[in-house]
Every structure is written in C-alpha cells, then in structure tokens.
C-alpha cells in the first residue's frame, strides 16, 4: 500500500488544441495532499521509516511540507516543519491540519532551512522538497500509471521548481520504454532558474524569486535536473504570471479543479496554443496541483496582473 493514490488520466476536450491533437491530463491535483508531491515524499518517508527514522523534518511551507505532514500522519511518525515568518497563515494551517508540529524561524526560507538542518538528530530524516533520488522513484509512478492505461504520449508538459518532478517523470518514461518522449519544462518569469541554467550551460542561482508561482521558487535547480537535459530531450518554456493565473482560472471552469499558478504555468501552454506543442499529436499535461492558493487569491492575482 502506498500513501499516494492512482489518479485519473483524462482526455480533455476543453483544453484548446490543434485539429487532431489530443490533450491528456494526469490529475495529480487529486492526491490526498493536493499535489503530486505525495508520490515522491510518501515513498521517501516510507523508506526512511524502514531505515529507522523516528521523526521527519521539513523546511517547506508549501506542498512538500504538507505532503511530509500527511505522510507522517499516515505512517504514525511525528513531523516537524520549520517555516520562515513569511509563511502564509494558510500554509501554516494546512500543515497543522495534517497533525504536524510547526516551528516558525527566521526571515527567509534559507534561515528556516538552516535551522531545520541544525535540529537534525540521528533518528530524524530530512525530507527534501525536490533533491533526493527517492523522490524521483515515487514521482515516476505517475508515468507507470500512464503506461498501464495504454497511453504513449508524444510529449509531456510539466512544471519545474527545483526539478524533482522533472527527474521523476523522466525516470518513469525510461522505465516504461519511453526514453525518446520529450519533456516540455515550464516555469514562470521570475522563477525561471532552470531555463536560465540551460541557456547558460551552468546552474545559475536566481538572486530572488519574483513570481506568484511560489512552488516553482527554487533559486537553484538540482544538479540531477540540470544534468538530465544532456541525456533526455527537454525543452524549457517560460510563461508570465498572468498566463499562469489565467490558466488556473480557466481550468477551474473547464475541469472544476483548483490548482496553483505553479501548475497553471503548464496548463497555460494549452490555453496559449503555444508553438512548443505544435508538432505533437498526443500531449500529456501533468496537472501537478497545489493547495496553497485559494479561489479568492487566484481571482485577486488575476485582477492585479491584468
Ligand atoms: C513542488 C511543486 C512543483 C515543482 O516541483 P519540483 O519538483 O520542485 O520541480 C510544481 N507544482 C507544484 C504544485 C508543486 O508543489
């Protein structure tokens, strides 16, 4: 028994597409924690418990912290999430609702993260939000399900923060004999650490995150995600915050599911009829989800960004 669920794979007639083009949606927004993160983090938490961990530590006030809290509750393992003072009331509430302890420390993620690491004892497991091969193993199960459903996409569209989802999806493609299937890796302007790194040929660090898609806000992508682009076809695409939020709002009407701008970034490619999709017949969108944005917040961003 895994902590994540097998999610629906939907053929969407609502998303705009070219004649003859099929849009498929892997509905990770429906995971019990509200995002795909539960696949990798649930898998990692089970493995760390097997290796003797008595507590899980996280420094994510977003979907990773919520997934760790959920996994700990299901496994009966205490969880401590260290978040900075900037963490929203909603994020804190979502973590507490999963029964985790929350410790507010420092003005930035960097400070909260450093404090979490300083608290790490011999029986604790640190649950990284994106940079751990165990996460890729878990995330890859979403592609196992796509393969089991008999779908062989011509391209996969997904969002990139630190690159854990990207590494997991490519692992899933490889272990299902789909090594050649290209991945379109989407970020927002201001959180585009991956696109900038590929363009420069080295892993750059953004000075700050300047996007409402906070779940894409890794200032530096993992080495694994960066290196992967030299052995798998990956095309980076960057969209605006307005496009990402607009896609969330349209997706609510089209599919009756609320997702964060981090996920809207990928969906924006369909709504924009982005040229990166033009050559593909079957396009698989990873609807990665995310629970930290409310409907009211999406509308407020939509109005402010117009
Ligand atoms: C974490 C997250 C991402 C980015 O995933 P990475 O593994 O960091 O690249 C995208 N969307 C949502 C909703 C997320 O929670």
């Amino acid at each position: 028994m895994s902590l994540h669920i097998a999610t629906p794979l939907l053929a969407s007639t609502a998303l705009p597409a070219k004649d003859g083009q099929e849009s498929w949606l892997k509905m990770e927004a429906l995971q019990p924690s509200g995002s795909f993160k539960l696949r990798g983090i649930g898998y990692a938490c089970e493995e760390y418990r097997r290796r003797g961990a008595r507590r899980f530590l996280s420094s994510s006030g977003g979907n990773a912290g919520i997934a760790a809290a959920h996994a700990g509750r299901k496994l009966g393992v205490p969880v401590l999430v260290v978040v900075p003072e900037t963490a929203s009331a909603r994020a804190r509430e979502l973590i507490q609702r999963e029964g985790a302890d929350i410790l507010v420390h420092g003005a930035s993620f960097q400070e909260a993260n450093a404090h979490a690491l300083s608290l790490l004892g011999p029986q604790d497991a640190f649950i990284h939000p994106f940079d751990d091969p165990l996460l890729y193993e878990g995330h890859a199960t979403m592609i196992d399900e796509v393969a089991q459903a008999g779908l062989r996409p011509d391209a996969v569209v997904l969002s990139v923060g630190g690159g854990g989802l990207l590494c997991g999806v490519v692992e899933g493609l490889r272990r299902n004999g789909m090594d050649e299937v290209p991945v379109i890796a989407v970020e927002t302007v201001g959180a585009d650490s991956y696109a900038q790194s590929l363009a420069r040929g080295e892993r750059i660090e953004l000075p700050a995150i300047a996007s409402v898609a906070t779940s894409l806000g890794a200032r530096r992508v993992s080495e694994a995600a960066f290196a992967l682009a030299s052995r798998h076809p990956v095309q980076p695409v960057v969209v605006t915050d307005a496009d990402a939020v607009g896609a969330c709002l349209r997706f609510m009407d089209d599919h009756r599911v609320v997702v964060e701008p981090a996920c809207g970034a990928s969906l924006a490619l369909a709504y924009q009829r982005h040229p990166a999709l033009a050559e593909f017949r079957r396009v698989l969108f990873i609807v990665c989800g995310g629970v930290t944005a409310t409907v009211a917040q999406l509308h407020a961003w939509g109005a402010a960004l117009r």
Side-chain angles (χ1 to χ4, degrees), residues 29 34-37 41 60 62-64 128-131 135-136 139 158-168 186-187 213-218 221-222 225 259-264 266 286-292:
S35 80
F36 77 94
K37 288 251 175 26
I41 287 179
S60 159
N63 296 305
H128 198 282
F130 58 81
D131 193 4
L135 299 182
Y136 318 152
H139 294 337
L158 55 76
S159 300
V160 174
L165 176 59
L166 171 66
C167 288
V186 190
E187 295 168 296
T214 48
S215 296
L216 305 186
V221 298
S222 72
V259 300
E260 284 182 14
C263 175
S266 281
I286 305 299
V287 184
C288 49
V291 293
T292 64

Side-chain angles (χ1 to χ4, degrees), residues 14 17 19 30 37 74 82 105 112 117 184 190 195 239 244 250 268 279 296:
D19 274 355
L30 302 182
K37 288 251 175 26
K74 296 296 258 193
V82 185
H105 183 96
L117 290 172
I184 300 172
V239 302
R250 289 186 66 178
E279 65 183 285

